[in-house]
Amino acid sequence: GNSVTQMEGPVTLSEEAFLTINCTYTATGYPSLFWYVQYPGEGLQLLLKATKADDKGSNKGFEATYRKETTSFHLEKGSVQVSDSAVYFCALSVNTGGFKTIFGAGTRLFVKA
Amino acid sequence: DGGITQSPKYLFRKEGQNVTLSCEQNLNHDAMYWYRQDPGQGLRLIYYSQIVNDFQKGDIAEGYSVSREKKESFPLTVTSAQKNPTAFYLCAAATGVGTEAFFGQGTRLTVV
Protein backbone atom coordinates (compact mmCIF):
# COMPACT_ATOMS: atom_id res chain seq x y z
CA GLY A 1 0.00 0.00 0.00
CA ASN A 2 0.87 3.67 0.07
CA SER A 3 2.20 5.20 3.27
CA VAL A 4 4.45 7.89 4.70
CA THR A 5 6.65 7.55 7.77
CA GLN A 6 8.31 10.55 9.36
CA MET A 7 10.38 10.99 12.45
CA GLU A 8 8.56 11.42 15.71
CA GLY A 9 8.71 14.70 17.49
CA PRO A 10 8.85 16.97 19.11
CA VAL A 11 12.10 18.33 17.81
CA THR A 12 13.55 21.15 19.89
CA LEU A 13 16.32 23.33 18.47
CA SER A 14 18.00 26.59 19.29
CA GLU A 15 17.73 29.45 16.84
CA GLU A 16 20.22 29.17 13.93
CA ALA A 17 20.62 25.40 14.38
CA PHE A 18 20.48 22.97 11.46
CA LEU A 19 17.21 21.11 10.96
CA THR A 20 16.58 17.68 9.50
CA ILE A 21 13.21 15.94 9.59
CA ASN A 22 13.34 12.48 8.08
CA CYS A 23 10.61 11.16 5.81
CA THR A 24 10.37 7.84 3.98
CA TYR A 25 7.56 6.51 1.88
CA THR A 26 6.14 3.41 0.25
CA ALA A 27 4.10 3.79 -2.88
CA THR A 28 2.92 1.96 -5.96
CA GLY A 29 3.77 3.83 -9.11
CA TYR A 30 5.47 7.21 -9.12
CA PRO A 31 4.21 9.52 -6.42
CA SER A 32 4.68 13.22 -6.06
CA LEU A 33 6.10 14.24 -2.69
CA PHE A 34 5.28 17.23 -0.52
CA TRP A 35 6.09 18.95 2.73
CA TYR A 36 3.29 20.91 4.38
CA VAL A 37 3.48 23.16 7.45
CA GLN A 38 0.75 23.76 10.02
CA TYR A 39 0.78 26.69 12.43
CA PRO A 40 -1.33 26.48 15.62
CA GLY A 41 -5.07 26.44 15.00
CA GLU A 42 -4.73 26.66 11.23
CA GLY A 43 -4.95 24.47 8.19
CA LEU A 44 -1.95 23.14 6.29
CA GLN A 45 0.07 25.16 3.81
CA LEU A 46 2.32 23.78 1.12
CA LEU A 47 5.99 24.32 1.95
CA LEU A 48 7.63 22.60 -1.02
CA LYS A 49 7.16 19.74 -3.43
CA ALA A 50 8.97 17.45 -5.90
CA THR A 51 7.28 15.51 -8.65
CA LYS A 52 10.01 13.15 -9.90
CA ALA A 53 13.18 11.42 -8.78
CA ASP A 54 16.17 13.67 -8.02
CA ASP A 55 14.03 16.81 -8.04
CA LYS A 56 14.80 19.23 -5.23
CA GLY A 57 11.98 21.30 -3.79
CA SER A 58 12.88 24.49 -1.95
CA ASN A 59 11.12 27.39 -0.27
CA LYS A 60 11.88 29.87 2.53
CA GLY A 61 15.27 28.27 3.17
CA PHE A 62 13.81 24.76 3.45
CA GLU A 63 14.72 22.08 0.93
CA ALA A 64 14.11 18.40 0.27
CA THR A 65 15.33 16.04 -2.46
CA TYR A 66 13.24 13.22 -3.93
CA ARG A 67 15.41 10.11 -3.51
CA LYS A 68 13.86 7.16 -5.29
CA GLU A 69 16.67 4.75 -4.40
CA THR A 70 16.12 5.28 -0.68
CA THR A 71 12.40 6.21 -0.95
CA SER A 72 13.09 9.31 1.09
CA PHE A 73 12.24 13.01 1.08
CA HIS A 74 14.02 14.48 4.11
CA LEU A 75 13.36 18.12 5.01
CA GLU A 76 16.36 20.34 5.82
CA LYS A 77 17.04 23.94 6.74
CA GLY A 78 20.44 25.38 7.45
CA SER A 79 19.45 27.90 10.11
CA VAL A 80 16.07 27.77 11.83
CA GLN A 81 14.23 30.74 13.31
CA VAL A 82 11.72 30.97 16.14
CA SER A 83 9.05 31.64 13.51
CA ASP A 84 9.68 28.17 12.04
CA SER A 85 8.05 26.58 15.08
CA ALA A 86 5.15 24.56 13.69
CA VAL A 87 4.12 21.03 12.76
CA TYR A 88 5.60 19.67 9.53
CA PHE A 89 3.88 16.98 7.48
CA CYS A 90 5.44 14.86 4.77
CA ALA A 91 2.94 13.68 2.15
CA LEU A 92 2.63 11.86 -1.12
CA SER A 93 0.11 12.14 -3.92
CA VAL A 94 -0.61 9.08 -5.99
CA ASN A 95 -3.19 7.92 -8.50
CA THR A 96 -4.91 4.79 -7.20
CA GLY A 97 -7.93 4.78 -9.44
CA GLY A 98 -8.54 8.25 -8.14
CA PHE A 99 -5.91 10.52 -6.75
CA LYS A 100 -5.47 11.36 -3.10
CA THR A 101 -2.85 12.72 -0.77
CA ILE A 102 -1.51 10.58 2.07
CA PHE A 103 0.09 12.27 5.05
CA GLY A 104 2.65 11.27 7.61
CA ALA A 105 1.90 11.71 11.32
CA GLY A 106 3.56 15.12 11.50
CA THR A 107 6.63 16.34 13.37
CA ARG A 108 6.33 19.22 15.80
CA LEU A 109 9.27 21.63 15.78
CA PHE A 110 10.05 24.02 18.64
CA VAL A 111 12.72 26.64 18.06
CA LYS A 112 14.07 28.45 21.13
CA ALA A 113 15.49 31.96 21.00
CA ASP B 1 -9.76 36.08 -2.47
CA GLY B 2 -9.34 32.53 -3.77
CA GLY B 3 -9.28 29.57 -1.47
CA ILE B 4 -11.13 27.14 0.76
CA THR B 5 -13.64 28.41 3.30
CA GLN B 6 -14.68 26.25 6.20
CA SER B 7 -17.40 27.23 8.62
CA PRO B 8 -17.90 27.50 11.45
CA LYS B 9 -14.44 27.70 13.02
CA TYR B 10 -15.72 26.28 16.31
CA LEU B 11 -18.73 24.00 16.71
CA PHE B 12 -20.29 22.41 19.75
CA ARG B 13 -22.62 19.47 19.51
CA LYS B 14 -24.65 17.59 22.02
CA GLU B 15 -24.33 13.84 22.07
CA GLY B 16 -26.82 12.13 19.77
CA GLN B 17 -27.10 15.07 17.37
CA ASN B 18 -26.03 15.23 13.76
CA VAL B 19 -24.02 18.26 12.68
CA THR B 20 -22.89 19.49 9.26
CA LEU B 21 -19.57 21.17 8.55
CA SER B 22 -19.40 23.46 5.57
CA CYS B 23 -16.61 23.56 2.98
CA GLU B 24 -16.70 25.88 -0.02
CA GLN B 25 -14.01 26.50 -2.63
CA ASN B 26 -13.63 29.04 -5.42
CA LEU B 27 -10.50 27.49 -6.93
CA ASN B 28 -12.45 25.49 -9.52
CA HIS B 29 -10.67 22.32 -8.40
CA ASP B 30 -12.27 18.98 -9.23
CA ALA B 31 -11.15 17.02 -6.17
CA MET B 32 -12.14 17.74 -2.58
CA TYR B 33 -11.22 15.95 0.63
CA TRP B 34 -12.17 15.78 4.29
CA TYR B 35 -9.55 14.91 6.91
CA ARG B 36 -9.77 14.45 10.63
CA GLN B 37 -6.92 15.50 12.91
CA ASP B 38 -6.71 14.46 16.56
CA PRO B 39 -4.34 16.16 19.05
CA GLY B 40 -0.74 15.28 18.27
CA GLN B 41 -1.83 13.08 15.39
CA GLY B 42 -1.55 13.17 11.63
CA LEU B 43 -4.38 13.58 9.15
CA ARG B 44 -6.75 10.72 8.47
CA LEU B 45 -8.88 10.72 5.32
CA ILE B 46 -12.63 10.55 5.90
CA TYR B 47 -14.11 11.00 2.41
CA TYR B 48 -12.96 12.33 -0.93
CA SER B 49 -14.61 13.35 -4.15
CA GLN B 50 -12.98 13.46 -7.57
CA ILE B 51 -15.94 14.98 -9.39
CA VAL B 52 -19.42 16.32 -8.83
CA ASN B 53 -22.00 13.71 -7.74
CA ASP B 54 -19.32 11.18 -6.93
CA PHE B 55 -17.42 10.46 -3.71
CA GLN B 56 -15.50 7.62 -2.07
CA LYS B 57 -14.89 6.52 1.47
CA GLY B 58 -11.51 7.16 2.96
CA ASP B 59 -9.89 5.33 5.83
CA ILE B 60 -12.31 6.36 8.60
CA ALA B 61 -15.69 6.96 6.92
CA GLU B 62 -17.87 5.26 9.54
CA GLY B 63 -20.21 7.69 11.23
CA TYR B 64 -19.75 10.37 8.56
CA SER B 65 -21.57 11.26 5.35
CA VAL B 66 -20.92 13.71 2.51
CA SER B 67 -22.52 15.08 -0.62
CA ARG B 68 -21.09 16.72 -3.73
CA GLU B 69 -23.99 18.34 -5.55
CA LYS B 70 -21.92 21.29 -6.72
CA LYS B 71 -18.28 21.54 -7.69
CA GLU B 72 -17.61 24.27 -5.14
CA SER B 73 -19.24 22.62 -2.14
CA PHE B 74 -18.43 19.46 -0.16
CA PRO B 75 -20.27 19.43 3.20
CA LEU B 76 -19.49 16.82 5.83
CA THR B 77 -22.14 15.51 8.22
CA VAL B 78 -20.98 14.02 11.48
CA THR B 79 -23.75 11.67 12.54
CA SER B 80 -24.69 10.36 15.95
CA ALA B 81 -23.16 7.05 14.87
CA GLN B 82 -19.66 8.58 15.12
CA LYS B 83 -18.57 7.47 18.57
CA ASN B 84 -15.76 9.93 19.14
CA PRO B 85 -16.40 13.00 17.01
CA THR B 86 -14.42 15.59 18.97
CA ALA B 87 -11.57 16.56 16.64
CA PHE B 88 -10.22 19.16 14.23
CA TYR B 89 -11.68 18.74 10.73
CA LEU B 90 -9.86 19.93 7.64
CA CYS B 91 -11.23 20.30 4.14
CA ALA B 92 -8.94 20.44 1.11
CA ALA B 93 -9.14 20.72 -2.67
CA ALA B 94 -6.74 19.76 -5.45
CA THR B 95 -6.65 19.53 -9.21
CA GLY B 96 -4.96 16.15 -9.53
CA VAL B 97 -1.98 13.96 -8.85
CA GLY B 98 1.21 15.92 -8.47
CA THR B 99 -0.54 19.11 -7.49
CA GLU B 100 -0.72 20.59 -4.05
CA ALA B 101 -3.77 20.34 -1.85
CA PHE B 102 -5.20 23.65 -0.66
CA PHE B 103 -6.59 23.56 2.85
CA GLY B 104 -9.22 25.50 4.71
CA GLN B 105 -8.62 26.88 8.20
CA GLY B 106 -10.40 23.95 9.82
CA THR B 107 -13.40 23.44 12.08
CA ARG B 108 -12.91 22.37 15.67
CA LEU B 109 -15.84 20.19 16.72
CA THR B 110 -16.46 19.50 20.39
CA VAL B 111 -19.13 17.18 21.73
CA VAL B 112 -20.58 18.40 25.01
Side-chain angles (χ1 to χ4, degrees):
Chain A
N2 302 301
S3 66
V4 176
T5 303
Q6 60 183 106
M7 64 188 287
E8 287 189 26
V11 173
T12 303
L13 297 173
S14 297
E15 209 165 21
E16 299 184 3
F18 184 86
L19 168 71
T20 299
I21 300 178
N22 290 338
C23 171
T24 57
Y25 67 91
T26 59
T28 53
Y30 302 95
S32 295
L33 302 175
F34 305 84
W35 277 100
Y36 288 84
V37 59
Q38 184 181 34
Y39 298 101
E42 298 185 6
L44 278 67
Q45 306 170 30
L46 179 70
L47 182 60
L48 54 85
K49 73 175 188 180
T51 57
K52 62 183 187 296
D54 299 324
D55 267 3
K56 177 186 282 188
S58 61
N59 186 25
K60 300 180 182 178
F62 292 89
E63 58 182 36
T65 301
Y66 189 142
R67 300 287 188 201
K68 189 177 177 184
E69 63 276 12
T70 54
T71 62
S72 65
F73 193 54
H74 304 321
L75 181 68
E76 297 181 336
K77 187 176 186 183
S79 176
V80 294
Q81 306 300 312
V82 173
S83 58
D84 293 326
S85 297
V87 180
Y88 293 82
F89 291 91
C90 185
L92 66 84
S93 172
V94 63
N95 192 337
T96 57
F99 51 89
K100 56 184 178 180
T101 303
I102 297 164
F103 291 85
T107 302
R108 184 174 295 277
L109 171 66
F110 293 104
V111 180
K112 303 179 297 184
Chain B
D1 214 26
I4 312 290
T5 301
Q6 290 187 243
S7 61
K9 190 171 177 65
Y10 298 97
L11 187 58
F12 296 88
R13 189 195 90 174
K14 292 183 180 179
E15 282 195 34
Q17 286 183 337
N18 292 354
V19 65
T20 297
L21 283 60
S22 170
C23 178
E24 302 282 329
Q25 58 120 343
N26 60 6
L27 301 170
N28 201 36
H29 287 354
D30 287 316
M32 297 187 74
Y33 307 83
W34 275 105
Y35 293 91
R36 170 181 172 141
Q37 186 178 27
D38 293 286
Q41 304 295 313
L43 278 67
R44 292 186 289 170
L45 183 64
I46 304 172
Y47 268 98
Y48 63 107
S49 169
Q50 307 287 320
I51 196 169
V52 174
N53 291 323
D54 186 49
F55 49 82
Q56 288 82 40
K57 293 181 179 180
D59 301 317
I60 55 164
E62 185 175 352
Y64 300 97
S65 65
V66 294
S67 62
R68 187 84 186 277
E69 297 176 0
K70 300 184 296 183
K71 188 175 187 177
E72 56 270 25
S73 180
F74 191 42
L76 173 74
T77 296
V78 185
T79 74
S80 56
Q82 170 50 237
K83 298 304 178 190
N84 186 20
T86 295
F88 189 51
Y89 291 87
L90 287 163
C91 178
T95 55
V97 175
T99 64
E100 69 177 285
F102 291 86
F103 282 82
Q105 292 296 295
T107 293
R108 187 167 298 282
L109 173 64
T110 303
V111 174
V112 297

